[in-house]
Amino acid sequence: MTASTATTLANVVASPPSGRPKAVVFDHHEYAASVILRGRPVPWDNATAYAAFFAQAQGLLRPDVALLDLNRLYGHLTSGNIRLETAMAGRPRTGFALRTLLGDDDLNRAVLDFVSVFAQTARQPVVLRIPSPMAWLRGTHHFSGADDTSDLDADNAENASMYVSDWLRAFAGLPVAGLLLDNRTPAGASGGVHVPLEAYTPIANLAGNYRWTLGQLDDDQARLQGDAAVGAYIPAGFWLEPDVELPPGDFYLGEIPSAALPEGVLARLETLG
């Protein structure tokens, strides 16, 4: 039995619940940590406290969805975990480290508990953001003993998508509106092989079964599977300077920088409608 949500990310893009002309998806983590927490640590170890912190930021900014970045959560939960790192380095086979990461029972239990609290308390449709299979493969490939990721190709990414889809089944019972695969090139990194969303058939099939809207964030734009709408990225400078204009797009995604001033952010929100 799976749980679905009547509202999907595609529905949100077509008819933004905020009433704005175009839907907005905010990653406000850095900004909210600066403005709300003021130097205190992000409460990753207390899902209820994190949900309250997140809800406060949502109330200030009024995005159309509640975006949860699971890569950040994983970064916190795996930091200093020598047991897990040793297991991930157990074999040099490509993809072994990622499969081990996503198959760790203790970690999966902690992640599911956290996401469950988040999804069940969010007031907006929940969208999960995870690394694309290729991005996750690149991020874990060094555990195989490789010096770089130049040997990774589309076939490796396709295989990795099977591990990711199996892992995603844990969220079947939660009210999730969409899943975004983050395929953007990290700052300072080389782009490598681009793998289109269509290559990730196991994930697409799972998302279709669960009625999640599936999308991919590439360097130039975001797009949703089976939808003509194109998402544009709000430049970081938009939040810092009043004369920075929005690029064309059918909906917007933006990361609000920690250096942005609250009064400036509120003023810029007005220009979004």
Side-chain angles (χ1 to χ4, degrees):
M1 176 70 74
T2 65
S4 65
T5 174
T7 301
T8 65
L9 179 55
N11 296 151
V12 168
V13 168
S15 181
S18 64
R20 293 186 175 99
K22 296 180 180 181
V24 292
V25 179
F26 287 149
D27 176 354
H28 49 58
H29 181 83
E30 299 296 336
Y31 174 75
S34 174
V35 171
I36 297 174
L37 297 179
R38 297 180 178 273
R40 287 174 286 146
V42 176
W44 290 118
D45 295 318
N46 184 328
T48 301
Y50 181 88
F53 154 66
F54 187 92
Q56 191 174 351
Q58 292 282 100
L60 292 173
L61 302 169
R62 299 187 305 106
D64 288 288
V65 301
L67 178 70
L68 178 60
D69 183 4
L70 292 189
N71 197 38
R72 282 200 186 101
L73 177 60
Y74 262 81
H76 173 78
L77 293 176
T78 61
S79 179
N81 190 331
I82 303 301
R83 176 195 62 79
L84 178 60
E85 291 180 358
T86 301
M88 291 171 67
R91 294 183 186 176
R93 188 173 68 243
T94 297
F96 177 82
L98 177 59
R99 188 175 187 177
T100 301
L101 173 72
L102 298 180
D104 188 86
D105 289 338
D106 291 342
L107 188 56
N108 285 344
R109 192 176 305 110
V111 171
L112 180 59
D113 288 348
F114 188 98
V115 177
S116 296
V117 172
F118 182 92
Q120 291 162 4
T121 57
R123 295 182 179 179
Q124 297 80 20
V126 172
V127 174
L128 303 179
R129 183 173 69 188
I130 64 173
S132 70
M134 177 56 100
W136 230 338
L137 198 56
R138 287 188 186 122
T140 55
H141 193 49
H142 64 281
F143 286 101
S144 71
D147 294 328
D148 56 42
T149 60
S150 59
D151 60 326
L152 297 176
D153 58 25
D155 288 339
N156 297 138
E158 226 175 313
N159 291 336
S161 72
M162 292 188 287
Y163 310 149
V164 176
S165 65
D166 286 345
W167 167 77
L168 284 167
R169 296 181 194 281
F171 307 121
L174 299 179
V176 173
L179 175 69
L180 294 177
L181 308 181
D182 196 344
N183 198 51
R184 294 173 294 175
T185 306
S190 58
V193 176
H194 177 266
V195 181
L197 181 60
E198 291 75 16
Y200 300 133
T201 304
I203 298 176
N205 290 341
L206 178 138
N209 289 338
Y210 295 167
R211 298 190 181 125
W212 299 349
T213 299
L214 178 64
Q216 179 156 294
L217 310 180
D218 288 318
D219 288 331
D220 56 342
Q221 64 183 20
R223 71 180 195 83
L224 307 179
Q225 185 185 42
D227 197 310
V230 173
Y233 300 119
I234 301 174
F238 175 83
W239 306 104
L240 305 173
E241 301 291 341
D243 57 348
V244 176
E245 297 184 358
L246 290 169
D250 299 306
F251 64 102
Y252 290 113
L253 305 97
E255 299 185 11
I256 306 177
S258 60
L261 299 176
E263 58 269 26
V265 169
L266 291 176
R268 297 307 268 157
L269 285 173
E270 292 297 321
T271 67
L272 293 172

